[in-house]
Amino acid sequence: MTAFTEGKNIRDKLATTDPSNAQWQHDLSVSWDRLGDVRSAQGDLPGAMAAFTQGKNIRDKLAATDPGNAQWQRDLSVSWNRLGEVRSAQ
């Protein structure tokens, strides 16, 4: 958890310095997913839901900004699936 949190903090700083950099935004969403994965594995379902929601919110923006980008659309669908998995576990 500590390693993923440190990575997320670095990616957050990068994404904040250049909000128009789609790759940095994407990388930040991946960090949120990793934190969600760890929290889910630890049984912290509310924490997992919060982390996956953070990642999904970023992916919502990426997908809306570039609707023709298949990767952003796929990533958004993955976010919805992860949120669904946590809901199912709850």
Side-chain angles (χ1 to χ4, degrees):
M1 181 65 116
T2 301
F4 287 134
T5 299
E6 289 299 319
K8 195 262 319 158
N9 291 342
I10 293 167
R11 288 175 168 178
D12 191 36
K13 288 177 187 174
L14 290 170
T16 300
T17 62
D18 187 1
S20 66
N21 186 316
Q23 186 60 52
W24 288 351
Q25 298 299 320
H26 174 264
D27 292 347
L28 180 57
S29 75
V30 170
S31 287
W32 280 112
D33 279 357
R34 298 294 179 260
L35 291 170
D37 289 340
V38 171
R39 288 184 172 142
S40 184
Q42 292 175 338
D44 177 9
L45 298 180
M49 182 65 77
F52 288 139
T53 298
Q54 290 287 344
K56 186 199 76 65
N57 291 344
I58 294 167
R59 289 171 173 171
D60 276 335
K61 292 176 188 172
L62 289 171
T65 305
D66 188 1
N69 186 317
Q71 182 65 44
W72 297 159
Q73 301 301 320
R74 182 204 165 275
D75 289 349
L76 182 56
S77 75
V78 169
S79 288
W80 279 112
N81 285 340
R82 289 183 172 190
L83 289 169
E85 289 168 358
V86 173
R87 284 279 186 222
S88 291
Q90 288 176 327

